[in-house]
Amino acid sequence: MRAEAFNGSTHVAIPSDSDFLKALLFELRLTDDQSFVEHRDTCTRIDHSSVRSVRVEGGDLWPVVAFQKSGLIYACLPLVEETLEPRPPLLTISGLSQGLALLFGILDYISPSRKNEAEMTAKIGQLRNLLIQACPLGTPLNTNISSLNSSFDDIQVTPTDEKQPVWRSNTYKGKPQVNVSITEKVKCMQYDKRDVVDMWQVYGVVNCKCDIEGAAPNVTLTLNLPTNGSPLQDILVHHCVTSVDPAMLMSSSVDPLDDSVYSGPYKFPFVPPSDAFNLCYYTSQVPVPPILGCYQLIEEGSQLKLTVNLKLHESIKNSFEYCEARIPFFNRGPIAHLEYKISYGQLDLSREKSLLVWVIGQKFPKSSEVSLTGTVTFGAAGEEHPTDYVCTGNTAYVKMYFRIPDFTLTGCYVDQHSVQIFAPGKPKITASRELISSDYYIWNSEASAPIMYKSLYY
């Protein structure tokens, strides 16, 4: 009813669950029918975000937030509190950040069980009860799904204190303390080719846990950047944030013509939920990827000759919790013979004999460069050996795995002295940060490789 009132004549009715699922799978190209559909597959339409338009019987349903993760599809339809024609800018739709926060809450709830089918099935079965608590009448009030109780018997009643927000389900007693962690993940596709542009981008999340007395304590947290830091873009904030500088929300990586830059400080006043929550999400386009790589794989008779060169950029902190390069071989038999030479670290062969693991360790050498050369011979292929429909022929990649504690690629940090808490007692403030690799690929420059477009996905 609210959507009809806000959208007026542009409103599109929501179809049945089965019809919506069918339309969404079609939009995501997950149906058996792979024929070309102009409104979906034209080259003038490249998906830059997780916001989609789904064609249903009554028209185009928009904005549908949908993304895939670990074999599951997470989707929701945020409320747009205005007419849909012309379509308003995404950054002006408050329901988008609420919808994304809710989906990420569901993702965090389900993800730990994705390898246990029985446990995942049970959790999915509990989702309806949890969503009734999280979204009474369709409005997200608590997106931390893991903190809710799946049984109706223990649902807490609405707080009697008029000042206490509904997302604060209990009142903490004790010394005030605030824990803040910044996690940045860097995604990268490197090709080492003149005619193909390398792609990389940072995706960050700020997680908070505030143990503070009072029904509605006010907290202000500020994110800062050094003078040479990379500005934060595409900022999405938790619904507990009470106000925000509009300039923070205007910087976007989706629109290539958008040149708006806001370099901070990024101030977030909020009334915190009782449990840990993600205060905000952001992206950033940093000048260079942390590790530059070159991978060459050439077939010489019955052997494959490989060369891998890696270089740590001078601006990156040379202190890893772990750093390794994994070199898989698909659509081939087991590795029967391996000869190699490495300048640093150690090389391991997986038990299945289809994967080389180059363990670089916790530091690069003083030169910041490492190299691996070798030749590989394979035995007869069997059903148990890995296959991949992309990595055919010599199309192959090296995938990097690393974590750098106490470091962010953007330079983003929390000044503990800038955290303001309007509550009695001297608070204990702890802050941490980390950089983690995520989908960090270095493709064989001697063969074709899939091209990646930048997308807004956290």
Side-chain angles (χ1 to χ4, degrees):
M1 294 295 292
R2 284 192 295 166
E4 289 184 50
F6 284 123
N7 303 157
S9 61
T10 63
H11 175 72
V12 176
I14 300 177
S16 64
D17 290 350
S18 59
D19 289 342
F20 174 76
L21 177 60
K22 182 178 179 181
L24 180 61
L25 293 176
F26 183 79
E27 170 65 23
L28 296 175
R29 303 176 181 87
L30 297 177
T31 61
D32 295 334
D33 184 5
Q34 297 297 315
S35 57
F36 177 82
V37 179
E38 184 173 355
H39 80 269
R40 182 193 65 183
D41 303 322
T42 175
C43 61
T44 59
R45 178 186 171 187
I46 299 175
D47 294 327
H48 288 292
S49 76
S50 301
V51 180
R52 303 174 180 275
S53 177
V54 176
R55 182 155 295 183
V56 296
E57 184 176 348
D60 290 341
L61 207 57
W62 181 91
V64 174
V65 179
F67 58 85
Q68 299 179 67
K69 192 71 173 178
S70 302
L72 295 176
I73 301 173
Y74 298 82
C76 69
L77 179 62
L79 174 67
V80 180
E81 297 177 334
E82 57 185 297
T83 181
L84 298 177
E85 293 295 342
R87 289 183 178 176
L90 296 181
L91 290 176
T92 65
I93 304 174
S94 61
L96 284 179
S97 59
Q98 295 177 349
L100 277 170
L102 179 64
L103 293 181
F104 290 142
I106 297 174
L107 175 63
D108 292 339
Y109 169 71
I110 290 180
S111 289
S113 307
R114 65 180 183 272
K115 294 183 179 179
N116 186 323
E117 186 175 348
E119 186 177 335
M120 178 181 285
T121 301
K123 282 194 171 184
I124 292 176
Q126 295 168 355
L127 260 182
R128 179 179 178 276
N129 289 354
L130 295 173
L131 290 175
I132 290 175
Q133 299 175 57
C135 307
L137 302 179
T139 300
L141 297 180
N142 185 354
T143 57
N144 187 0
I145 306 299
S146 301
S147 69
L148 301 174
N149 194 308
S150 60
S151 170
F152 278 117
D153 297 334
D154 297 323
I155 295 178
Q156 300 184 21
V157 297
T158 304
T160 55
D161 190 325
E162 294 182 358
K163 295 181 179 180
Q164 181 172 339
V166 72
W167 58 81
R168 283 186 64 81
S169 57
N170 60 67
T171 302
Y172 171 79
K173 296 293 184 182
K175 183 179 180 180
Q177 50 188 346
V178 176
N179 295 296
V180 185
S181 65
I182 302 175
T183 299
E184 288 188 352
K185 294 184 178 182
V186 55
K187 296 188 177 184
C188 188
M189 298 281 274
Q190 296 183 40
Y191 302 96
D192 193 33
K193 293 183 177 182
R194 290 185 177 181
D195 58 338
V196 181
V197 178
D198 293 346
M199 298 293 296
W200 63 90
Q201 193 168 24
V202 172
Y203 301 82
V205 59
V206 180
N207 183 269
C208 297
K209 178 70 167 72
C210 302
D211 294 323
I212 307 171
E213 290 188 3
N218 289 291
V219 180
T220 298
L221 185 146
T222 303
L223 302 180
N224 297 283
L225 296 176
T227 54
N228 60 343
S230 300
L232 310 186
Q233 298 177 304
D234 308 315
I235 297 176
L236 297 173
V237 300
H238 192 274
H239 58 75
C240 72
V241 176
T242 55
S243 65
V244 68
D245 187 336
M248 287 171 45
L249 305 179
M250 296 307 295
S251 183
S252 170
S253 67
V254 177
D255 186 356
L257 301 178
D258 182 14
D259 58 356
S260 58
V261 175
Y262 184 84
S263 300
Y266 304 87
K267 185 172 292 187
F268 301 90
F270 58 95
V271 178
S274 303
D275 299 290
F277 69 102
N278 292 331
L279 177 66
C280 70
Y281 301 87
Y282 62 84
T283 71
S284 183
Q285 188 61 58
V286 295
V288 292
I291 297 177
L292 298 168
C294 174
Y295 179 30
Q296 293 179 326
L297 185 68
I298 304 173
E299 199 159 356
E300 293 185 351
S302 60
Q303 294 182 330
L304 286 180
K305 183 178 180 180
L306 64 95
T307 302
V308 183
N309 295 306
L310 302 174
K311 180 178 181 180
L312 180 69
H313 192 267
E314 59 186 10
S315 65
I316 306 303
K317 179 182 177 182
N318 190 10
S319 179
F320 293 78
E321 179 182 311
Y322 58 85
C323 181
E324 63 184 40
R326 299 184 185 181
I327 310 170
F329 297 95
F330 297 101
N331 307 311
R332 302 177 187 274
I335 295 176
H337 183 71
L338 170 66
E339 293 184 4
Y340 68 91
K341 179 181 179 181
I342 55 175
S343 65
Y344 193 78
Q346 72 179 51
L347 189 68
D348 298 326
L349 177 63
S350 69
R351 182 182 302 178
E352 298 78 12
K353 296 185 177 182
S354 59
L355 172 71
L356 297 179
V357 180
W358 181 10
V359 180
I360 298 168
Q362 296 180 324
K363 280 184 177 294
F364 273 67
K366 289 185 177 180
S367 65
S368 297
E369 298 183 26
V370 294
S371 63
L372 160 67
T373 57
T375 56
V376 184
T377 304
F378 299 91
E383 293 183 359
E384 70 276 11
H385 294 99
T387 60
D388 188 283
Y389 69 92
V390 173
C391 295
T392 58
N394 288 346
T395 297
Y397 61 80
V398 174
K399 189 173 183 180
M400 300 298 303
Y401 293 82
F402 58 82
R403 177 181 182 269
I404 307 178
D406 195 28
F407 180 81
T408 53
L409 204 52
T410 61
C412 183
Y413 67 96
V414 175
D415 182 358
Q416 298 183 30
H417 300 290
S418 70
V419 178
Q420 297 177 309
I421 300 178
F422 302 94
K426 184 178 180 180
K428 178 184 178 182
I429 312 295
T430 57
S432 63
R433 55 183 186 163
E434 62 180 351
L435 175 67
I436 303 175
S437 63
S438 174
D439 298 334
Y440 202 107
Y441 294 96
I442 301 168
W443 289 91
N444 177 20
S445 61
E446 300 296 323
S448 59
I451 307 301
M452 178 64 69
Y453 295 97
K454 181 171 64 176
S455 64
L456 175 60
Y457 173 68
Y458 295 90

